[in-house]
Amino acid sequence: MSGSGILAAIGLVLALVATAALIRPAVQRSGLGIVHPAAAWLALHAVFFGIGAAVLATAGAIDPAPAWYVAGAAVATGLGVLGGDRLARRRMAPTPAAASVVEGAADPAPVRPAVVIALLGLGLAAVAPGLLVTGLPLLADDPTGARTSLAGLMVQPLRVALPAAVIVAMVAALRRPSRRRAAIALTALGLAIAFTLLLASRYLAAELVLAVGVAWLLAGRRLDWRVLAGLGLAALFAFGAVQVIRAPERASGRELAFALERTVSRVVLVQPRTLDALMDEIPDHTPYFAGLTWLRRVGPLVGRDDVPNLGYWIYPSIFPDQDPGVRGYAAPGLIGEAWANLGLAGLALFAAFGLLLERLGALLALRRTGTADLAAAAVLVVVLARSHALGLNGMLVLAALVVAWRLLAGAGARELLRDVGSVVGWRA
C-alpha cells in the first residue's frame, strides 16, 4: 500500500459522496429517482471506475492520478447538474408531478407497431451479413473472433431497436393488462436476451436488461429487492458463462475461478487500468490530441498523422503479455478521451455533460407516460449512463439513432418538440 494511493482512494470516495449530494436537488425535483440520467450515470461511474480506481490506487497497482481524475470527473458532472437545476429553479419552473403509466389511460405518445417491427428488422438486417459468414458467435469455434462482425456502426441500429421493441411490448402489457399481452412481453424479453447471449455480447445483453429496468421504473413501477437479487445473480452467471465460452482454452479445468477473475477484471478493474495507461502515455510520450480523436480525418490536415483509435492503440499497454497478433480493444470511455485530448481541461467536458443530464432529466419528467417516449427515454438514459465504455462519438451516434427511432416509431412529435423547447429554454 502507498500513502498517496490511500489518500487518492479516500478523496475519490468523498468525491462520489459529494457528487451524490450535488445531484440530489435535481433528482428530487424531477421525481425520477435512481433513473434520473445523472443518478444512473453516477451509479455506473462508481461501479466501473470508482471501485476499481480506489482499490488499485490503494494497492499501488496504478498511479494515484487516475483516481483523482475519476473523482474530478464526478464532481464536475455534479456541478453541471447542480448549475442546471439552480438555473431552472431561478426561472421559477414548476416541479413536475409524479407520473406513471396508468392502466386503461389514453396513451399520449402511441407507437406505430409496423414501424417498430420494421426498425427492428433493419437492425437485424444490418448484422445479418456478418452472422451469415461467422454464424452465431456463441456457437462458433472462436467466439471472440466471430464477434468482430458485431463491431462498428453496423450493430448500432440494433442497440436501439431491440430494447425499444421489448419496452413497447412491456408498456402495452402495463397499459392494458391481459394474459396475452403479458405473454408477448415476457416472450419478447426472453427471446431478446437469448439472442444477445448467442451473439456472445456482454454489453448488448446488459444494455437490454438495463433499458427494460429503466423503462419499468420510469413507468411508475417498483422492483422488489428479491427480484433485483435474482436478476443480479442471473446476470453474474450469464456474464461469467460468456467469459468461459469466449475463452475456453484459458478456462479449461478452472472454469469457475476463471469466470470470477474475468468478471471482476472486466467490470471493476479494466476501466481504471485503461485510464492509467492513457495517463502514463499522454502527455509524457505522446502530446495531447486536442480533440482530434473525435475528428481523426482532420489530423493529417493539421500536421498530426499519429491520431489513433484510442481503444486499439492503448490495448497492448494494458495487456502486454497477450499475443501481439490479437487486435484487442480497451474502451477508453468519455473520461479516457477527455484526458487524451485535453488533460485536466477535459474535466470541463464533464461539467457540460452534467448540464445535459440535468436537462434530459427535466424532459423525462414531462414525458414519462407515452409508450414511444418511455422506450426512447429508457434507451437514451442507458446510452448516457454508459459513458464509462462509450466515447463522445459513440454516444452521439446512438443518441441520434434514439431520436430517429422516436420520431419514426412514435406519434406526438409536435408536443415532444414543444416540450424540448421548454427544456432548452429552462422553462421546465
Side-chain angles (χ1 to χ4, degrees), residues 14-53:
L14 292 176
L16 293 174
V17 173
T19 304
L22 289 171
I23 70 173
R24 184 179 178 183
V27 172
Q28 289 182 326
R29 181 171 172 273
S30 69
L32 297 176
I34 187 60
V35 290
H36 187 287
W41 176 85
L42 180 60
L44 294 192
H45 184 70
V47 169
F48 288 97
F49 273 104
I51 297 173

Side-chain angles (χ1 to χ4, degrees), residues 49 271 274 278 294 310 329-338 350 386-392 395:
F49 273 104
Q271 302 292 161
T274 301
L278 287 168
W294 297 312
L310 289 176
Y329 182 84
L334 185 63
I335 191 170
E337 291 182 344
F350 282 90
R386 272 180 46 78
S387 73
H388 66 277
L390 289 170
L392 180 61
M395 284 195 290

Side-chain angles (χ1 to χ4, degrees), residues 117-128 154-159 161-162:
I117 294 172
L119 292 175
L120 177 58
L122 288 174
L124 293 170
V127 300
M154 300 308 292
V155 76
Q156 307 312 315
L158 186 63
R159 293 176 76 171
L162 183 60

Side-chain angles (χ1 to χ4, degrees), residues 32-336:
L32 297 176
I34 187 60
V35 290
H36 187 287
W41 176 85
L42 180 60
L44 294 192
H45 184 70
V47 169
F48 288 97
F49 273 104
I51 297 173
V55 170
L56 292 173
T58 300
I62 64 173
D63 191 80
W68 287 118
Y69 201 70
V70 169
V75 173
T77 302
L79 290 172
V81 173
L82 180 65
D85 180 67
R86 287 281 178 87
L87 182 57
R89 290 174 186 268
R90 192 172 300 162
R91 294 175 66 92
M92 300 181 67
T95 301
S100 62
V101 173
V102 179
E103 180 180 332
D107 191 342
V111 296
R112 303 177 178 94
V115 177
V116 172
I117 294 172
L119 292 175
L120 177 58
L122 288 174
L124 293 170
V127 300
L131 295 180
L132 289 175
V133 173
T134 64
L136 290 169
L138 194 67
L139 306 180
D141 293 335
D142 179 13
T144 300
R147 279 196 67 252
T148 57
S149 64
L150 297 175
L153 288 174
M154 300 308 292
V155 76
Q156 307 312 315
L158 186 63
R159 293 176 76 171
V160 172
L162 183 60
V166 174
I167 292 168
V168 166
M170 180 189 76
V171 176
L174 293 176
R175 198 175 296 280
R176 290 181 174 79
S178 70
R179 289 184 178 180
R180 176 176 171 273
R181 289 191 179 93
I184 291 174
L186 290 173
T187 300
L189 177 60
L191 289 175
I193 292 175
F195 179 64
T196 57
L197 292 177
L198 286 172
L199 297 180
S201 174
R202 300 181 300 261
Y203 75 86
L204 281 177
E207 287 177 354
L208 170 67
V209 174
L210 283 174
V212 172
V214 169
W216 178 268
L217 294 174
L218 280 175
R221 299 309 197 266
R222 295 291 179 264
L223 284 173
D224 186 271
W225 68 268
R226 290 166 294 189
V227 175
L228 285 174
L231 289 173
L233 290 174
L236 284 175
F237 176 80
F239 192 92
V242 170
Q243 306 300 321
V244 173
I245 293 172
R246 285 178 58 175
E249 69 289 344
R250 300 176 62 187
S252 180
R254 53 187 299 271
E255 286 78 8
L256 180 58
F258 178 83
L260 290 173
E261 293 167 4
R262 189 91 162 185
T263 298
V264 171
S265 174
R266 290 296 183 266
V267 173
V268 177
L269 303 179
V270 72
Q271 302 292 161
R273 283 175 171 161
T274 301
L275 180 59
D276 181 57
L278 287 168
M279 297 182 82
D280 281 344
E281 179 66 27
I282 302 169
D284 290 345
H285 306 292
T286 303
Y288 295 117
F289 292 107
L292 293 176
T293 68
W294 297 312
L295 301 165
R296 290 170 58 200
R297 294 184 184 275
V298 177
L301 301 179
V302 296
R304 286 293 298 266
D305 296 322
D306 63 336
V307 182
N309 180 308
L310 289 176
Y312 291 113
W313 178 66
I314 204 63
Y315 185 86
S317 299
I318 307 168
F319 303 103
D321 298 329
Q322 194 152 329
D323 183 351
V326 176
R327 190 167 181 258
Y329 182 84
L334 185 63
I335 191 170

